[in-house]
Amino acid sequence: MSTRTLHLADEAATLALGASLASTLPARACVHLKGDLGAGKTTLVRGLLRAAGHAGAVRSPTYTLVEPYSLARGEVFHLDLYRLADPEELEFIGLRDVIDRGLLLVEWPERGIGVLPEPDVVVYLEHDGRARTARLQTS
């Protein structure tokens, strides 16, 4: 297991980290994004998607649970499990159908324990004053 810690001075740095991940992650992987509300999880996803060629809006899928994106690199599925009451609800949104089809970016993954695949990368985002700290763990 490898761990790397980064200081993210502002939103641009968080977007840049997402772009960096876009260039290093394989087309099929699972990324767990952990952090408090407002820690920058969706901003990181926005940076990744923009770098991967998505030009449209990037919304947090807090109410839809999953937002799919079809990109040149393959399919990307952005999940936000904050409102999930039970991990079994992932069955109702068709998680089994998308697990092996592309890149999974999962906010609040602890709410899907037992159903989500093991992560290839875990990104921990924390408030650090007006900045953020990102800790990346790879398996």
Side-chain angles (χ1 to χ4, degrees):
M1 184 174 307
S2 171
T3 301
R4 183 174 172 206
T5 302
L6 303 167
H7 176 74
L8 305 173
D10 53 21
E11 182 179 351
T14 304
L15 292 167
L17 176 57
S20 175
L21 286 172
S23 69
T24 58
L25 287 170
R28 291 190 175 135
C30 182
V31 179
H32 288 186
L33 303 165
K34 296 186 174 195
D36 293 335
L37 289 171
K41 297 178 296 292
T42 300
T43 300
L44 181 102
V45 169
R46 186 176 305 115
L48 186 151
L49 290 170
R50 288 268 183 326
H54 178 70
V58 176
R59 295 175 205 84
S60 176
T62 301
Y63 295 100
T64 60
L65 296 180
V66 63
E67 285 289 331
Y69 299 89
S70 292
L71 307 172
R73 69 172 280 143
E75 294 184 88
V76 177
F77 300 93
H78 179 198
L79 290 85
D80 184 332
L81 307 184
Y82 183 73
R83 299 178 61 80
L84 201 68
D86 185 304
E88 293 302 316
E89 289 179 51
L90 291 170
E91 293 295 328
F92 299 117
I93 66 167
L95 180 66
R96 287 191 195 275
D97 297 334
V98 301
I99 283 178
D100 294 324
R101 286 184 26 206
L103 178 61
L104 296 178
L105 305 170
V106 186
E107 297 186 35
W108 303 97
E110 58 277 4
R111 298 191 182 206
I113 290 175
V115 178
L116 286 174
E118 289 297 315
D120 298 290
V121 177
V122 179
V123 180
Y124 298 89
L125 292 163
E126 298 176 359
H127 296 274
D128 185 6
R130 295 184 147 213
R132 304 285 187 268
T133 298
R135 187 168 37 96
L136 287 78
Q137 275 186 338
T138 56
S139 46

